[in-house]
Amino acid sequence: MDKYHSFTMDDVVPQLQEVDSTITTNFSTNRLSPTSSSSCSSSSSSSTATALSRCENQKRRDWNTFGQYLRNHRSPLTLSRCSGAHVLEFLRYLDQFGKTKVHTQLCPFFGHPNPPALCPSPLRQAWGSLDALIGRLRAAYEENGGKPKTNPFGARAVRLYLREVRDSQAKARRISYEKKKKKKKKRKRPPQLPPPPPPPELS
């Protein structure tokens, strides 16, 4: 389980803060040219390799952070004794580093997507950041020898918690996290030709 070396919390916690915990790669700058296909091909492959490297680095930082959290636990834990309940404690702990304003029901801006003024509602980790974080930790757990059946990051309690965070933030910020369904293109039927005229009658 010790594939990755541990960092200090001061080094890795900022990497988990909201926007930093998700990686977006833009491939739109790789424009192909008919006169430089080989160079563009190498550029595209290098961009893909860079994106994969960034994803792996982020996953390693997240994994080290969780390991440090277990060691700093009030009763230090080993990964083999970690359960879904400890993962939930970790997610709630990360809320103190969140940057997303989540309005409470008593807040006058509850359900307002773009509040016109500041309010005392707390800052939390955005659902999308937590969901991506759990995905990376779930993969890292199995890459480091953990079995899928005992993966605490895939526990039912963790899935329910993420769903609850998603729904509550959607109501508080009036944001829909539902994926838009792609409209199916209707195939145009070929025009039907009129039936041929009957043969002329012989007199």
Side-chain angles (χ1 to χ4, degrees):
M1 294 289 180
D2 54 353
K3 177 181 176 183
Y4 301 134
H5 298 291
S6 62
F7 296 162
T8 63
M9 292 298 283
D10 292 338
D11 291 333
V12 294
V13 164
Q15 300 298 332
L16 292 169
Q17 294 183 359
E18 181 120 41
V19 179
D20 293 336
S21 67
T22 56
I23 298 178
T24 303
T25 306
N26 184 7
F27 294 97
S28 62
T29 56
N30 295 333
R31 297 178 180 177
L32 297 179
S33 170
T35 59
S36 57
S37 58
S38 60
S39 62
C40 288
S41 176
S42 61
S43 175
S44 178
S45 60
S46 62
S47 298
T48 304
T50 301
L52 292 174
S53 176
R54 291 178 62 191
C55 290
E56 288 300 317
N57 288 338
Q58 183 67 54
K59 182 166 57 177
R60 183 171 62 250
R61 287 194 294 267
D62 295 341
W63 180 250
N64 289 329
T65 301
F66 184 74
Q68 187 70 31
Y69 176 79
L70 293 181
R71 288 188 288 274
N72 290 345
H73 200 265
R74 54 183 177 273
S75 53
L77 293 168
T78 59
L79 194 60
S80 59
R81 293 175 53 198
C82 177
S83 66
H86 299 116
V87 175
L88 294 182
E89 287 181 4
F90 177 63
L91 295 180
R92 295 187 179 103
Y93 160 78
L94 293 179
D95 267 337
Q96 63 183 301
F97 306 106
K99 295 181 180 179
T100 298
K101 179 78 72 173
V102 180
H103 305 290
T104 63
Q105 292 187 352
L106 298 178
C107 177
F109 302 134
F110 180 80
H112 199 297
N114 298 304
L118 297 177
C119 69
S121 294
L123 293 174
R124 295 284 185 261
Q125 289 285 346
W127 165 77
S129 297
L130 294 179
D131 187 58
L133 170 65
I134 289 299
R136 291 191 295 270
L137 290 175
R138 186 173 182 175
Y141 177 85
E142 296 178 13
E143 290 173 2
N144 284 271
K147 297 180 179 179
K149 292 183 178 180
T150 58
N151 195 328
F153 303 102
R156 184 173 182 270
V158 176
R159 296 197 304 269
L160 292 176
Y161 176 79
L162 290 176
R163 186 184 305 171
E164 180 182 343
V165 171
R166 181 193 65 182
D167 294 344
S168 62
Q169 291 191 7
K171 292 178 181 177
R173 303 174 61 205
R174 202 176 178 182
I175 295 176
S176 176
Y177 290 112
E178 297 296 331
K179 292 183 179 179
K180 294 182 179 179
K181 295 182 179 180
K182 294 183 179 179
K183 294 183 179 179
K184 294 183 179 179
K185 293 183 179 180
K186 294 183 179 180
R187 294 183 179 178
K188 292 183 179 180
R189 295 182 179 179
Q192 294 182 352
L193 298 176
E201 294 183 359
L202 298 176
S203 57

